[in-house]
Amino acid sequence: MSEVNAGQHIIADKTLIRTAQITSWILTPFSIPFLAFLVLFLFSYLRIMPIQYKLIVLGIVYCFTILMPTLTIFLFRRINGFAMQELSERKKRYIPFLLTIISYVFCLLMMHKLNIPWYMTGIILAALVVQIICIIVNLKWKLSEHMAGIGGIIGGLISFSELFGYNPVWWLCLFILIAGILGSARIILSHHTLGEVLSGFAIGMICALLVLHPLSNILFRIFLF
């Protein structure tokens, strides 16, 4: 009986780890800005915008926040012979961070040149600010970029609810649940401690509130225009 229980425990552990890996892969930091735009275009009043316009914006966001960072980090790994797991080490995270920041800067410049409204450009700016803070903090301490991303989503929901005048309670409940699942996944995979998860979440949410909330984003709006 004990051997059966041990076997079931091993299977349960493998299933839990696999689930955590899939969760981390789906909610990678690269996907967060694209997810934010997708939610805006599908579930806010921005859904009335022309489909061509929405596809152009989504295409720009996808290219510069998902495709380009993924490709450049892949090339960086291949050139240096690093395994994916090695990039979770604090000392090897600087170049991937810098490559991502450069790609986000180009995205911001492109959206600014196309005169995309500040509240949409601000999503990329908030993500860029989060990346810069993470690379600075990473000099001394490791943060969870996954949780910074989901924290930014929640900060963005609060900000846009104030800006557009809608009730965000159900969206907040959904993404707080997702944040809890994602944070648990990062801890299960031993990529982060509880402190790193919570601090990453707090930084993401605070940055999104500062950049996007109507009461605090005056300086950032001046920067964007």
Side-chain angles (χ1 to χ4, degrees):
M1 182 64 70
S2 60
E3 292 181 358
V4 172
N5 290 335
Q8 291 175 341
H9 182 70
I10 291 172
I11 293 173
D13 284 347
K14 288 182 178 180
T15 302
L16 186 63
I17 291 172
R18 184 59 179 166
T19 302
Q21 290 172 335
I22 293 173
T23 302
S24 294
W25 181 78
I26 293 174
L27 296 173
T28 175
F30 296 150
S31 69
I32 296 299
F34 185 81
L35 175 63
F37 277 92
L38 201 59
V39 169
L40 275 179
F41 287 149
L42 290 177
F43 302 107
S44 77
Y45 88 96
L46 297 181
R47 65 180 177 272
I48 66 175
M49 287 183 166
I51 185 65
Q52 295 89 344
Y53 183 85
K54 290 188 284 189
L55 289 175
I56 289 171
V57 174
L58 288 172
I60 292 172
V61 173
Y62 176 81
C63 287
F64 287 102
T65 67
I66 296 178
L67 183 61
M68 291 302 296
T70 301
L71 287 177
T72 52
I73 291 173
F74 173 77
L75 292 174
F76 170 74
R77 284 176 48 222
R78 290 296 298 268
I79 291 171
N80 292 276
F82 292 155
M84 193 65 181
Q85 293 79 4
E86 292 182 87
L87 293 182
S88 63
E89 297 176 16
R90 184 167 59 86
K91 293 182 179 180
K92 294 180 180 177
R93 291 153 68 91
Y94 300 119
I95 298 300
F97 264 132
L98 288 173
L99 293 173
T100 304
I101 287 171
I102 291 170
S103 186
Y104 274 56
V105 168
F106 276 106
C107 184
L108 192 63
L109 293 174
M110 178 69 73
M111 296 178 75
H112 180 71
K113 187 174 182 179
L114 294 175
N115 294 317
I116 292 174
W118 70 265
Y119 50 83
M120 286 195 276
T121 311
I123 295 173
I124 303 300
L125 181 59
L128 179 60
V129 171
V130 169
Q131 291 285 340
I132 293 172
I133 291 176
C134 283
I135 196 173
I136 293 173
V137 174
N138 196 55
L139 294 171
K140 294 293 184 181
W141 198 47
K142 183 179 173 184
L143 284 177
S144 173
E145 298 87 52
H146 283 75
M147 292 305 296
I150 201 69
I153 286 282
I154 291 174
L157 281 172
I158 296 171
S159 300
F160 282 120
S161 69
E162 184 68 25
L163 182 65
F164 298 138
Y166 68 87
N167 188 340
V169 170
W170 290 108
W171 282 108
L172 286 175
C173 290
L174 173 63
F175 280 99
I176 288 172
L177 175 62
I178 292 173
I181 294 171
L182 181 59
S184 299
R186 303 306 290 168
I187 294 172
I188 289 169
L189 295 173
S190 300
H191 289 321
H192 294 286
T193 64
L194 178 61
E196 292 166 354
V197 163
L198 293 176
S199 57
F201 177 85
I203 285 175
M205 186 173 67
I206 291 170
C207 287
L209 288 172
L210 289 176
V211 175
L212 296 171
H213 199 282
L215 297 179
S216 58
N217 67 1
I218 296 176
L219 291 178
F220 291 102
R221 289 179 64 180
I222 292 173
F223 172 76
L224 290 173
F225 289 95

